[in-house]
Amino acid sequence: FTIKSGKGIEAMVMIKSRKTDISNIVTVVENVAEEMFEVSGDYDIVAVISGISVDELNRKIDKIRAIKGVTATNTAIKLHQGLI
């Protein structure tokens, strides 16, 4: 596997939240993410983030984790686009 470069590195951050804080979470994540989706399952939100380095991604993930009401995150870095 290789990490795609060019536009930078992309990742999907899956976010668990307290339902009472969801609007605050959405407001902050909108300022960090390129895209955001409400999803079913163990997580409530998936945020697509990007950066020019892993350090930049980590800063964005740390910002998401620090939001009041975020109870857990799980991040997947995009390795390849399209079918293998």
Side-chain angles (χ1 to χ4, degrees):
F1 291 103
T2 59
I3 295 176
K4 179 183 169 189
S5 62
K7 292 191 309 181
I9 304 168
E10 289 184 307
M12 289 143 293
V13 182
M14 293 156 275
I15 304 165
K16 283 187 186 183
S17 66
R18 290 193 302 257
K19 301 299 181 208
T20 55
D21 296 313
I22 198 82
S23 63
N24 177 56
I25 294 167
V26 167
T27 299
V28 176
V29 172
E30 281 178 332
N31 294 318
V32 176
E34 282 73 39
E35 294 184 85
M36 184 172 36
F37 307 94
E38 182 180 8
V39 294
S40 62
D42 291 336
Y43 292 89
D44 304 303
I45 300 168
V46 172
V48 179
I49 62 172
S50 66
I52 58 169
S53 67
V54 173
D55 287 338
E56 185 177 353
L57 286 183
N58 281 331
R59 284 191 295 276
K60 290 182 178 186
I61 294 164
D62 288 344
K63 186 171 186 174
I64 292 170
R65 287 180 177 154
I67 301 169
K68 179 183 179 233
V70 170
T71 60
T73 63
N74 187 1
T75 302
I77 293 178
K78 182 175 161 182
L79 299 175
H80 179 77
Q81 185 167 340
L83 298 174
I84 296 176

